[in-house]
Amino acid sequence: MSEISSTPSPTSGSRLNEDDGANDLTDDLDLGFDGAENILRAWRRGMRPDADLTVSEWADAHRWLSSRASAEPGRYRTARTPYLRGIMDALSPKHPAQRISFMKAAQVGATEAGNNWIGFVIHHAPGPMLAVLPTVEMAKRSSRGRIDPLIEDSAALKERVQPARSRDAGNSMLSKEFPGGILVLTGANSATGLRSMPARYVFLDEVDAYPASADEEGDPVTLAEARTTTFSHRRKVFMVSTPTIRGLSRIEREFEASDQRRYFVPCPHCGHYQWLQFERLRWDKGQPDTAAYHCESCKAPIAEHHKTQMLERGEWRATATSADPHSIGFHISALYSPLGWKSWAQIAREWLAAQGSDEMLRAARNTLLGETWVEAGDAPEWQRLAERREAYAGAQIPVGGLFLTAGADVQKDRIEVDVWAWGRGQESWLVDHIVIPGGPDDPAAWDKLTALLGRTWVCANGAVMLIGKLAIDTGYESAAVYGWARAQGFDQVAPIKGLEGFNRATPVSGPTFVDATIGGKRLRRGARLWSVATATFKTETYRFLRLERPSDEDRARGLREAPGTVHLPDWIDTEWLKQLVAEQLVTVRNKRGYSHPEWQKMRERNEALDCRVYARAAAWIMGADRWDEATWRRLEDQAGVETPEPAVPDAVAGTETEPATPAPPKAGTPTTPRRKRRAYTPNFMRD
């Protein structure tokens, strides 16, 4: 041992080239024990600096594809899918990007790019890594079908990851340890797996298939990204997915917030660089096999055999400016699939086969174009509504508004109220938008809401209107809402509860008596609750918002607004408009595979839509959907509106009475004869 310890240190040449026999220290040493040669070899390997490789260069040098996981087994070649080079290189440590999103069509090699990144990390940039798939079961399947072959078939990885043994916890199905780091696989449905450890690298695969919440603890993407906080600028987060539905797609949201890079390829005829768009793929009618891409510059058709050369010469170009300089995004469609994968003729054939079926069109748009699907029940764009705002000339309530209802949405720190005027044919006007600061625990907020019930709004003829019915949501702090409604009485206030689903016999049902004695008996003079099928009224609202408005020429010819037209004032702001169109009708499937439509939020705040639905429910509770002609004429007389139908018979017109005082007349009160109630007499007071 003393002889070995007195041996001079090896030269730098021997450290850098362990295969050079002239510099092999074993030739100069008299080894005194078995295994000394292995120790020295390991020492020299440790002293040798790592090659400065990018992820794509590492994949070309070390990655082998298994027949178990690839249709083209053998050495991995980035040249087969040149568009992946820029994406993989952005995952390299020396690239400044920290968040990389990839919105793509199906089967374009994205998952293999992620697996190459995993191999690179294990071999060249070790550290804690978290790979997240939609479910834990999918994570197990990926481990068996992709990660295990990745390690087994690549010698550089096999020597760093120990084979799985029953007694060795270092390599299990969902955990792979290697020198300097660990790879943990988990599902987005497992909050425990998402918060299990800090991670320098996070690979989020198929994020659009993630559940909305992981075990009701929050968004899985947010939970996973929180694991990288301590690694600051050294972190890498890679999000990959085929998109799903507009407004709900996580990957679309990430891509639109990035610099939106597209893969530009040159035209083989004129050399013009362009990114491939489906609209420029054309074929003869009924003959998808004639599909060819037409250059946007020279208009010449491009045969598909040019694609290989086009892809080789392609380059990624940013088409937008990212708010975060460390966030970049890529998009690719199936039009870029290399020869032998998805051909242009196949794309044309599948697109034609999808016509006539929303389900097939949705799948084609997602998997072929790598774009989101817009549901048929989609809300109109808020910009379009902004252009339709109008000034209410001369009065708070425009001509045609015959009675008022309001919808109140109780929040933690405020109560939002929208007041709507209603006319014939469910035509409506937004009259007022009030935000009362203070939540349900603030008595002053309830006092202001009470005062609102006595407030009046002026009609075009000078008459004043009270709120005929205010519907208030009981979803938040229901006890406080019941208490306030009970104090106001139920002639003007209607507590409501929203119900999901379309299969309802009526959009509003009730009321049910929710107050009870200690013994459990319902109190008929207690709080009463109305149940509202909110999905029905949301569908109706968006249908009305999409109605075309008559032009000035049409109005000059006497053309009236279509029944259901929604009028919005010029003073309403864009945030309110965005809230009004904050939801989208999507088709979802339950665990049994049955599909059903469901309204889902596209943004966090949707109070304007909720208040509109509540106000509409209040109009239904008042009976507006069931009023007879005489009631509508009475309301028109009160508001000074000329009846569009033929004149009222004298017998009906003669029933009007003059106001007893010179005060402004009250309008919006559809008075109808009421059956007198017999006074209730307790048993002990009866004869």
Side-chain angles (χ1 to χ4, degrees):
M1 292 296 291
S2 60
E3 180 180 353
I4 296 177
S5 62
S6 63
T7 304
S9 300
T11 63
S12 60
S14 64
R15 291 198 303 267
L16 294 176
N17 188 355
E18 72 177 287
D19 296 328
D20 188 349
N23 294 321
D24 193 343
L25 289 181
T26 58
D27 294 341
D28 301 329
L29 292 177
D30 182 12
L31 300 178
F33 60 91
D34 293 339
E37 182 178 352
N38 294 334
I39 293 175
L40 290 172
R41 185 178 296 110
W43 178 75
R44 287 194 299 270
R45 185 188 303 121
M47 293 298 293
R48 185 191 313 117
D50 292 331
D52 187 15
L53 299 178
T54 62
V55 174
S56 65
E57 291 170 344
W58 178 90
D60 288 334
H62 298 283
R63 178 77 192 279
W64 287 82
L65 298 174
S66 169
S67 58
R68 293 166 52 191
S70 175
E72 299 179 358
R75 182 177 290 278
Y76 182 89
R77 295 180 297 115
T78 305
R80 186 79 171 104
T81 52
Y83 49 80
L84 292 178
R85 188 183 306 277
I87 300 172
M88 289 191 289
D89 290 352
L91 297 170
S92 305
K94 62 184 179 182
H95 195 284
Q98 297 175 18
R99 300 177 80 252
I100 300 96
S101 58
F102 186 18
M103 184 169 72
K104 48 83 178 184
Q107 301 300 316
V108 292
T111 301
E112 289 303 328
N115 291 339
N116 289 340
W117 182 39
I118 292 175
F120 176 87
V121 168
I122 295 174
H123 189 189
H124 270 274
M129 186 174 197
L130 181 65
V132 184
L133 284 94
T135 65
V136 174
E137 184 59 35
M138 291 183 67
K140 293 179 180 178
R141 195 181 312 148
S142 177
S143 177
R144 291 191 299 264
R146 291 185 179 273
I147 304 302
D148 286 348
L150 165 70
I151 296 171
E152 286 292 327
D153 297 334
S154 300
L157 303 181
K158 189 174 182 179
E159 67 179 9
R160 284 167 172 77
V161 181
Q162 296 299 318
R165 299 188 182 93
S166 59
R167 297 183 180 179
D168 184 6
N171 184 356
S172 63
M173 185 175 294
L174 297 179
S175 177
K176 313 289 184 184
E177 289 186 2
F178 50 90
I182 183 173
L183 168 66
V184 173
L185 294 93
T186 188
N189 59 343
S190 171
T192 303
L194 293 174
R195 63 168 184 261
S196 61
M197 65 173 198
R200 179 182 176 184
Y201 310 106
V202 175
F203 178 25
L204 305 172
D205 197 10
E206 293 298 340
V207 294
D208 273 19
Y210 288 6
S213 179
D215 294 335
E216 299 183 357
E217 294 193 18
D219 176 46
V221 173
T222 303
L223 294 177
E225 280 200 79
R227 304 293 93 203
T228 67
T229 302
T230 56
F231 288 92
S232 185
H233 65 279
R234 296 185 296 141
R235 68 172 187 153
K236 291 280 184 181
V237 179
F238 185 33
M239 279 173 278
V240 180
S241 188
T242 300
T244 50
I245 299 172
R246 174 74 56 82
L248 301 178
S249 172
R250 287 187 176 93
I251 196 65
E252 181 189 49
R253 184 165 58 248
E254 292 292 337
F255 177 72
E256 290 183 346
S258 71
D259 57 1
Q260 301 181 28
R261 301 187 182 193
R262 309 273 188 176
Y263 198 65
F264 283 70
V265 294
C267 170
H269 306 302
C270 68
H272 175 72
Y273 271 79
Q274 59 203 290
W275 64 276
L276 303 183
Q277 304 175 60
F278 180 70
E279 292 74 16
R280 306 207 67 81
L281 184 67
R282 299 166 187 170
W283 57 89
D284 296 338
K285 186 174 182 180
Q287 300 181 36
D289 290 337
T290 63
Y293 192 87
H294 288 67
C295 174
E296 66 180 10
S297 178
C298 67
K299 314 302 181 186
I302 303 173
E304 191 164 17
H305 65 81
H306 292 290
K307 188 193 292 186
T308 300
Q309 183 182 11
M310 294 167 66
L311 293 178
E312 290 175 354
R313 298 172 58 194
E315 59 187 39
W316 288 102
R317 295 180 183 178
T319 61
T321 301
S322 175
D324 180 1
H326 300 294
S327 178
I328 62 176
F330 302 86
H331 176 267
I332 210 82
S333 72
L335 294 174
Y336 291 90
S337 292
L339 294 181
W341 288 14
K342 181 80 71 174
S343 69
W344 289 344
Q346 286 177 294
I347 294 173
R349 192 177 301 111
E350 292 181 19
W351 183 260
L352 289 176
Q355 302 307 305
S357 169
D358 282 350
E359 286 294 322
M360 293 180 67
L361 276 174
R362 170 179 166 178
R365 191 166 190 88
N366 294 162
T367 61
L368 296 178
L369 309 186
E371 298 176 358
T372 52
W373 168 255
V374 180
E375 292 281 358
D378 192 16
E381 297 289 341
W382 68 266
Q383 293 91 337
R384 179 187 170 196
L385 299 182
E387 295 171 355
R388 289 171 47 176
R389 289 178 294 186
E390 55 191 278
Y392 296 166
Q396 293 173 298
I397 303 174
V399 175
L402 304 179
F403 68 99
L404 298 179
T405 67
D409 190 16
V410 180
Q411 301 287 330
K412 182 178 180 180
D413 59 350
R414 67 193 185 282
I415 302 175
E416 298 216 9
V417 184
D418 283 343
V419 182
W420 288 84
W422 301 88
R424 283 181 179 265
Q426 298 175 11
E427 189 174 1
S428 59
W429 294 260
L430 177 64
V431 171
D432 212 340
H433 171 62
I434 303 112
V435 179
I436 300 174
D441 58 346
D442 185 359
W446 294 114
D447 291 342
K448 292 178 182 178
L449 187 60
T450 301
L452 193 63
L453 297 176
R455 180 178 166 183
T456 59
W457 286 262
V458 181
C459 299
N461 71 336
V464 294
M465 282 190 194
L466 291 165
I467 294 174
K469 186 76 73 175
L470 181 144
I472 182 168
D473 181 37
T474 60
Y476 183 75
E477 291 284 358
S478 57
V481 176
Y482 290 151
W484 177 80
R486 193 183 304 112
Q488 308 311 313
F490 301 99
D491 287 339
Q492 198 179 4
V493 175
I496 63 173
K497 175 184 178 181
L499 300 176
E500 296 298 330
F502 288 85
N503 297 325
R504 304 287 175 183
T506 176
V508 181
S509 59
T512 57
F513 299 92
V514 295
D515 280 345
T517 64
I518 296 177
K521 183 179 179 180
R522 299 288 182 180
L523 294 177
R524 294 189 62 81
R525 287 183 174 83
R528 56 192 69 176
L529 178 68
W530 296 84
S531 298
V532 179
T534 56
T536 301
F537 286 141
K538 288 174 183 177
T539 303
E540 177 193 84
T541 296
Y542 285 167
R543 174 164 55 86
F544 288 165
L545 287 172
R546 290 195 299 270
L547 291 174
E548 293 295 331
R549 304 288 295 276
S551 64
D552 294 338
E553 296 179 356
D554 293 335
R555 289 191 179 94
R557 294 198 301 267
L559 184 65
R560 296 180 178 274
E561 301 280 1
T565 298
V566 179
H567 300 266
L568 302 174
D570 56 0
W571 46 262
I572 203 67
D573 60 15
T574 57
E575 172 59 27
W576 188 94
L577 294 174
K578 292 177 180 179
Q579 294 179 19
L580 185 63
V581 295
E583 296 193 17
Q584 181 169 293
L585 186 64
V586 301
T587 301
V588 298
R589 293 186 180 274
N590 59 21
K591 294 181 179 179
R592 294 187 175 184
Y594 295 103
S595 62
H596 65 277
E598 180 180 292
W599 286 102
Q600 295 187 2
K601 291 166 61 173
M602 296 185 295
R603 66 194 309 270
E604 185 62 28
R605 295 191 58 183
N606 66 337
E607 295 91 74
L609 177 60
D610 286 344
C611 289
R612 161 73 187 198
V613 168
Y614 304 157
R616 174 67 180 93
W620 197 98
I621 294 171
M622 288 182 68
D625 295 73
R626 303 171 297 282
W627 283 339
D628 57 15
E629 180 64 23
T631 303
W632 284 110
R633 290 182 183 277
R634 187 182 302 111
L635 290 170
E636 287 169 340
D637 291 341
Q638 294 172 356
V641 176
E642 183 180 351
T643 303
E645 283 77 23
V648 183
D650 293 340
V652 177
T655 60
E656 296 185 16
T657 58
E658 295 294 331
T661 62
K666 288 187 177 181
T669 54
T671 55
T672 55
R674 298 176 60 90
R675 180 172 60 86
K676 292 185 178 180
R677 291 181 177 271
R678 188 178 67 179
Y680 171 75
T681 305
N683 290 333
F684 71 89
M685 295 180 62
R686 296 177 183 175
D687 295 334

